[in-house]
Amino acid sequence: MELAVLSSPPKSTSLYAVVIQLGAASAQIIPPTLGRTIHAQVMNWLSLADSQTADIIHRAQVSPFSISGLMGYRRQRGTKPGDDFIFRISLLDGNLIDLLLRGIEQSDNQTLYLGQCPFVIRSIYTLPDTHPQANISDYTVLANTEKISDEITLKFLSPTSFKQQQEIQPFPLPELVFGNLLRRWNVFAPPELQFPSLEWKAVVSAYELKTYALKLEGGAEIGTKGWVKYRFRDSEQARIATVLAHFANFAGVGRKTAMGMGQTCLVNS
């Protein structure tokens, strides 16, 4: 499998959640889903900085970033110039932060078009405490999480689904959620921090979920939003699951996380 990581400089162990703040530049109705368009914009920024790395990412089986959808108040009759919006880019390979920021800086056109709607970039938040959704962490820090729990609650913020035996499974079963996170962790974490494959011994103890359709260019994608509480019987699996639950804040869970699906956060108990 070709990995979307940089060969030089040495692989970074950092993770970043970058928030891009936008201002609407016209009075238009914004499409309900812009995940594919935001993905294309992120790839364009990376390509401006380093086209070779962007090509590696494009062809890779595992994306080194996840993105949110466009967040902000949607007026029924269209936006007004100056309306405020954000989207979040989470980088699983820390080497990409410099390329992303360089690509944004090198972008000739200050107007950003998403779904044919023009925006201007107001701010870029990269440091914790500068914006509630901006964050920085490290694989070593996550791997040494001290507060381990045998009950973990995850909140799925955007439609989430999984590939299961050639079918699409919208219910976030524990083996699908944590198996997906473990595979992505092992792609980007240093070798000494990687986890062995597991046969997950966990149950769903409570949940509140609803299915939604996310409209992408290829058609509607069905997924679930809401929260699920998982209980782990094995203490070592609980430790690994706790680490992966913190990782989910950056990585997202399931399919098409680089197009806005599977945005996930750990709910503190």
Side-chain angles (χ1 to χ4, degrees):
M1 178 176 66
E2 184 174 21
L3 307 185
V5 294
L6 305 180
S7 57
S8 179
K11 189 174 179 180
S12 170
T13 61
S14 297
L15 301 103
Y16 294 88
V18 179
V19 175
I20 309 294
Q21 183 182 23
L22 305 175
S26 72
Q28 293 189 28
I29 296 177
I30 301 174
T33 304
L34 288 170
R36 190 176 293 273
T37 302
I38 295 174
H39 174 270
Q41 181 60 63
V42 172
M43 290 299 301
N44 180 60
W45 284 331
L46 294 173
S47 184
L48 284 173
D50 186 334
S51 59
Q52 184 177 5
T53 296
D55 184 61
I56 293 173
I57 293 171
H58 178 71
R59 292 183 287 109
Q61 296 182 35
V62 182
S63 176
F65 63 83
S66 70
I67 64 166
S68 73
L70 188 69
M71 295 178 278
Y73 177 66
R74 306 288 186 100
R75 301 176 188 270
Q76 290 184 352
R77 297 184 179 180
T79 62
K80 291 184 178 181
D83 282 355
D84 202 46
F85 295 89
I86 65 167
F87 64 88
R88 185 177 189 253
I89 309 165
S90 297
L91 304 174
L92 308 186
D93 182 340
N95 286 325
L96 296 178
I97 185 65
D98 291 337
L99 296 184
L100 176 66
L101 297 179
R102 194 192 318 160
I104 295 173
E105 184 179 356
Q106 291 177 359
S107 181
D108 292 332
N109 194 342
Q110 296 302 311
T111 301
L112 183 71
Y113 285 88
L114 300 176
Q116 300 184 351
C117 296
F119 298 86
V120 293
I121 298 178
R122 285 182 167 162
S123 297
I124 302 170
Y125 301 97
T126 60
L127 299 176
D129 300 324
T130 59
H131 190 280
Q133 296 199 43
N135 201 4
I136 299 175
S137 191
D138 185 276
Y139 285 96
T140 302
V141 172
L142 295 185
N144 289 282
T145 299
E146 293 184 357
K147 187 179 178 182
I148 307 300
S149 176
D150 60 0
E151 282 198 335
I152 295 171
T153 301
L154 293 178
K155 187 174 184 179
F156 303 99
L157 305 171
S158 64
T160 304
S161 67
F162 304 85
K163 196 74 172 290
Q164 184 183 38
Q165 298 178 354
Q166 307 307 312
E167 299 290 341
I168 303 302
Q169 169 62 269
F171 192 90
L173 296 165
E175 61 270 23
L176 297 179
V177 171
F178 293 96
N180 179 270
L181 285 168
L182 187 148
R183 287 189 293 273
R184 296 191 75 191
W185 172 278
N186 282 351
V187 170
F188 299 104
E192 65 274 15
L193 298 178
Q194 294 178 12
F195 299 121
S197 297
L198 293 174
E199 183 176 340
W200 291 97
K201 299 176 181 178
V203 296
V204 171
S205 58
Y207 66 90
E208 187 173 297
L209 296 169
K210 186 176 179 179
T211 56
Y212 290 84
L214 188 70
K215 295 179 181 178
L216 297 177
E217 289 181 3
E221 291 283 354
I222 303 299
T224 53
K225 292 170 61 176
W227 60 266
V228 180
K229 180 179 288 187
Y230 302 95
R231 187 169 67 248
F232 294 83
R233 302 184 180 94
D234 181 270
S235 60
E236 177 61 11
Q237 288 198 11
R239 182 188 72 82
I240 295 173
T242 301
V243 172
L244 296 176
H246 286 283
F247 178 58
N249 289 320
F250 295 91
V253 174
R255 304 169 58 249
K256 300 185 183 296
T257 53
M259 295 185 183
M261 293 186 69
Q263 293 288 291
T264 306
C265 70
L266 172 64
V267 178
N268 293 324
S269 56

